[in-house]
């Protein structure tokens, strides 16, 4: 069975780009459009290998989602942040709440795959 990756991003284009790279590599994809949907997807798919999450989203942002999951113990799925943000304070806040990595958009497909494989394992 293919490893599941949850993509959490309000941009349909970004979700499509990430999905295309990961599906080609053999991963199964679950998508969420914001932090609320993302937290629900993570809670419902505790067997997922990884979640890739944006920081800035309407409603519940990625950092707030991480904090919520961290606070209630629902964060068993490793999370990497994929965002246009690169501020050290945001990276530190994400890591303090369990994020396993931080990648800046636009991403390079090979770098995304290498990061995913390092944290989630090969598909």
């Amino acid at each position: 069975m293919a490893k599941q990756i949850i993509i959490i991003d309000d941009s349909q284009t970004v979700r499509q780009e990430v999905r295309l790279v990961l599906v080609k590599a053999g991963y199964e994809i679950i998508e969420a459009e914001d932090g609320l949907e993302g937290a629900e997807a993570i809670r419902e798919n505790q067997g997922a290998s990884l979640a890739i999450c944006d920081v800035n989203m309407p409603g519940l942002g990625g950092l707030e989602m991480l904090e919520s999951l961290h606070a209630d113990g629902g964060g068993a799925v490793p999370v990497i942040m994929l965002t246009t943000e690169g501020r050290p304070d945001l990276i530190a806040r994400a890591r303090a709440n369990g994020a396993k990595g931080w990648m800046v958009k636009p991403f390079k497909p090979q770098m995304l795959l290498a990061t995913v494989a390092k944290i989630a394992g090969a598909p």
Side-chain angles (χ1 to χ4, degrees):
M1 183 170 144
K3 294 192 175 183
Q4 291 183 323
I5 308 291
I6 302 168
I7 303 169
I8 308 161
D9 200 304
D10 59 313
S11 166
Q12 183 177 356
T13 302
V14 171
R15 289 194 318 271
Q16 286 174 340
E17 290 172 354
V18 174
R19 181 185 344 106
L20 181 64
V21 169
L22 296 178
V23 166
K24 268 189 193 177
Y27 293 98
E28 183 179 307
I29 302 302
I30 298 166
E31 291 186 35
E33 294 183 14
D34 60 32
L36 285 174
E37 280 187 21
E40 185 177 317
I42 288 171
R43 288 184 179 107
E44 290 176 0
N45 298 282
Q46 286 293 304
S49 298
L50 179 69
I52 299 171
C53 185
D54 190 13
V55 170
N56 297 312
M57 296 181 284
L60 189 66
L63 292 174
E64 292 79 15
M65 181 201 79
L66 266 182
E67 290 165 347
S68 166
L69 289 168
H70 189 71
D72 70 13
V77 175
V79 177
I80 59 173
M81 308 307 286
L82 177 64
T83 179
T84 56
E85 297 283 350
R87 292 185 5 223
D89 60 315
L90 296 179
I91 296 169
R93 186 173 155 200
R95 288 201 188 282
N97 285 284
K100 302 295 184 208
W102 189 281
M103 293 184 65
V104 177
K105 296 175 190 171
F107 67 91
K108 290 183 172 59
Q110 291 82 354
M111 198 144 164
L112 176 68
L113 282 175
T115 302
V116 168
K118 181 178 177 183
I119 296 171

